[in-house]
Amino acid sequence: MKYGYPILYFDGVCNLCNTAVQWVIKRDKQEQFRFASLQSEAGQSMLMSYFPEKSKMPDSVLLEIDGTLYAKSSAAIKLLQMLGGVYKLSVIAWAVPRFIRDAVYDFIARNRYKWYGKRDSCMLPTPELKSRFLD
């Protein structure tokens, strides 16, 4: 799918993921990113288009840019680079092999509910932020 702007898909019931989205919103001075929880209609539509087999659907942060989907550590690094400023230094993380970066990502992802907790429902954006969320 192409929306004309980068979209960050996240686990809407994960406290760590919601905190990360708030962190990005505060630092995205150009308001270039849009957001959608994986549980939302937009998130489910994206998952079905990229992963028609339900068994292969990822449970991770995904960043979609012009029809290219970045997952796990690659999504995080690409997002940081796009924020600019000091975050552009994250380019050095590409030097770490993806299997190592993703192993660290997977370890945190497996433990995120235990360490940070889980919500009963997805975050509702404030009226000021509503335009930045797909649904």
Side-chain angles (χ1 to χ4, degrees):
M1 291 183 272
K2 293 187 180 181
Y3 286 99
Y5 36 76
I7 302 167
L8 181 66
Y9 296 95
F10 64 99
D11 179 350
V13 297
C14 167
N15 285 333
L16 174 61
C17 301
N18 279 284
T19 300
V21 167
Q22 293 299 322
W23 185 90
V24 171
I25 288 169
K26 286 180 185 173
R27 286 154 182 83
D28 182 18
K29 302 299 183 200
Q30 298 174 14
E31 296 186 2
Q32 62 183 321
F33 292 100
R34 297 299 179 268
F35 306 91
S37 73
L38 291 169
Q39 295 85 354
S40 71
E41 189 176 314
Q44 289 298 299
S45 176
M46 176 277 303
L47 287 170
M48 290 306 294
S49 72
Y50 283 102
F51 307 97
E53 295 179 43
K54 282 192 175 254
S55 63
K56 298 196 184 224
M57 285 186 183
D59 179 23
S60 70
V61 169
L62 299 167
L63 179 63
E64 184 180 25
I65 305 169
D66 295 326
T68 300
L69 196 65
Y70 298 86
K72 300 184 180 190
S73 64
S74 297
I77 296 167
K78 186 71 173 170
L79 182 139
L80 288 170
Q81 286 180 272
M82 292 178 71
L83 284 175
V86 72
Y87 304 111
K88 279 191 171 189
L89 294 175
S90 65
V91 70
I92 61 174
W94 292 118
V96 177
R98 189 171 74 182
F99 76 93
I100 294 172
R101 295 189 328 254
D102 283 350
V104 172
Y105 181 97
D106 288 338
F107 176 73
I108 295 168
R110 271 192 313 276
N111 292 290
R112 69 186 188 271
Y113 295 145
K114 181 171 47 172
W115 294 342
Y116 299 97
K118 186 175 178 179
R119 300 168 183 234
D120 291 329
S121 61
C122 294
M123 171 182 80
L124 294 174
T126 63
E128 300 84 37
L129 295 176
K130 191 154 180 62
S131 67
R132 299 195 57 200
F133 284 77
L134 297 186
D135 57 28

